[in-house]
Amino acid sequence: MSTDDTSGSLDRPTEEITLTVNGESVAAEVEPRHKLSDFLRDARGLRGVRVGCEHGVCGACTVLLDGRSVKSCLTYAVQADGAEIETVEGLADDDGSLHPIQESFHEEHALQCGFCTSGFVMATKELLGENSDPDDDEIEAGLADNVCRCTGYQNIYDAVNRAAEKMDGRERDGEQLDETETDGEDR
Ligand code: FES
Ligand code: FES
């Protein structure tokens, strides 16, 4: 900890943290007051971490901390010391291939403005990590901490179902999903 505020200036105490962000080891000096959302966006350039309400209500800032979803606007960066953080930027393969959840959100037209989408995608990753075949009530409960102002939610729920099928290996040649459900209508 550094506390070299001897000049009456605005220098504030900082803490050194080390963490893993999307598989990359990171060391940083942060002020204890710094939010994880701001650290990820400003210090790491991870703008997929959206900041909406900053009150823990909308879920736009959702990231995974040691595999569990957290609202990064309600988490201090110092609380992530030693942790493994995953943001939406960490999902695609190195060759740019989208994660099945990202593919499914695209295929099911589960976004309009997209502001909420990374939070929904990360919440979905946690949900499907715990329950590979959630029913409608379980999907609704799993995404209850995330708010979308645009989609009416049905397409998001369809995307989660499609992602579950993809990740479960149930979408195979000859067993394609019903494309009539992906006609782009908002339901
Ligand atoms: S910005 Fe974090 S919950 Fe809304
Ligand atoms: S797509 Fe606009 S807030 Fe969800």
Side-chain angles (χ1 to χ4, degrees):
M1 181 172 172
S2 162
T3 57
D4 54 352
D5 185 3
T6 56
S7 62
S9 72
L10 290 178
D11 286 352
R12 294 188 170 97
T14 58
E15 299 270 355
E16 182 160 339
I17 60 172
T18 57
L19 65 165
T20 303
V21 180
N22 294 331
E24 182 187 347
S25 194
V26 171
E29 277 297 292
V30 294
E31 293 180 35
R33 69 189 177 94
H34 276 151
K35 295 175 177 184
L36 181 58
S37 52
D38 293 336
F39 171 74
L40 293 171
R41 284 177 56 83
D42 299 338
R44 305 303 307 165
L46 298 170
R47 299 306 176 103
V49 180
R50 303 305 174 106
V51 174
C53 65
E54 293 192 83
H55 284 85
V57 175
C58 73
C61 64
T62 300
V63 301
L64 301 187
L65 188 155
D66 290 336
R68 302 308 304 261
S69 64
V70 295
K71 307 271 179 71
S72 60
C73 75
L74 294 185
T75 307
Y76 291 111
V78 290
Q79 292 177 283
D81 187 26
E84 194 161 325
I85 300 293
E86 189 172 10
T87 74
V88 72
E89 287 89 347
L91 291 189
D93 283 342
D94 290 343
D95 67 2
S97 307
L98 294 180
H99 187 281
I101 297 172
Q102 294 171 303
E103 283 180 353
S104 299
F105 270 67
H106 171 68
E107 290 162 0
E108 292 290 348
H109 311 283
L111 60 149
Q112 289 186 34
C113 79
F115 194 84
C116 69
T117 306
S118 48
F120 270 100
V121 165
M122 300 314 290
T124 300
K125 187 154 192 280
E126 180 190 43
L127 171 66
L128 297 183
E130 295 176 343
N131 180 354
S132 62
D133 189 20
D135 63 25
D136 289 348
D137 289 343
E138 289 167 334
I139 292 173
E140 192 172 346
L143 302 183
D145 280 349
N146 294 69
V147 175
C148 176
R149 301 177 194 204
C150 304
T151 67
Y153 293 91
Q154 186 56 54
N155 289 12
I156 292 175
Y157 298 152
D158 291 346
V160 176
N161 273 315
R162 181 179 276 254
E165 289 168 346
K166 283 175 183 276
M167 292 169 71
D168 208 25
R170 281 181 285 147
E171 187 182 26
R172 298 183 292 272
D173 287 345
E175 194 182 334
Q176 296 295 317
L177 295 172
D178 182 3
E179 291 298 327
T180 62
E181 293 181 2
T182 64
D183 56 8
E185 283 183 29
D186 295 321
R187 284 160 283 164

